[in-house]
Amino acid sequence: MEEQQCPLREEFDGNDVAGSTHLLATFDEEAAGVLRVRWFADFAKVERVAVRQRFLGGTVSQALLQSAFSLAEDKGYRRMLLHIEPGLAQYYLRYGFQPREGRPRFHYSDREYMEVIKDLMPPIDAITVDSPALCVVRPEGAWREAGILDLSSARGC
């Protein structure tokens, strides 16, 4: 927030607690970076990628992005959208994002942005409406591991 000098009233946009997932990268139990993913009907949107100054240039943003890609793919998403400042385009091209053709640049919070998109490859066992019932009630991102409700199902009715 400080680097972009975004007004506080615009930074808290109402999307932090509803329909979003926040990823936190840590290093030696210290917060190193964050990323938010919002979920839409046929795409996921990466937002608020932020890495602390002393962790820039390392693997923190790469790990956050790869985690976001994997999470979205496990959920069956095939596309990921990101709004970036044009000066960051070369960085995100390395991760498979491409500029969206025919989409104009736009402004908010006193900065210019452009849209980039990435094709994802969901695995064969991505979560779907046909996944086992207990699978879809497991904690977010842990669909392949037995959860607390799996244990309770052994009690029967």
Side-chain angles (χ1 to χ4, degrees), residues 54-121:
R54 65 190 198 148
F55 296 106
L56 289 174
T59 60
V60 173
S61 62
Q62 178 181 356
L64 284 166
L65 287 167
Q66 292 299 334
S67 293
F69 301 156
S70 293
L71 182 60
E73 288 172 335
D74 281 347
K75 288 177 159 237
Y77 284 87
R78 297 188 177 280
R79 292 187 302 169
M80 184 165 275
L81 178 68
L82 179 59
H83 294 164
I84 62 169
E85 293 182 53
L88 296 173
Q90 290 302 315
Y91 177 79
Y92 285 101
L93 291 177
R94 288 187 283 180
Y95 294 99
F97 285 95
Q98 294 298 318
R100 290 199 63 204
E101 297 297 324
R103 301 287 288 190
R105 292 183 179 184
F106 55 96
H107 295 82
Y108 59 82
S109 296
D110 306 317
R111 295 196 174 263
E112 181 181 41
Y113 291 91
M114 62 185 281
E115 291 180 315
V116 293
I117 197 155
K118 175 182 173 60
D119 290 328
L120 301 174
M121 299 284 294

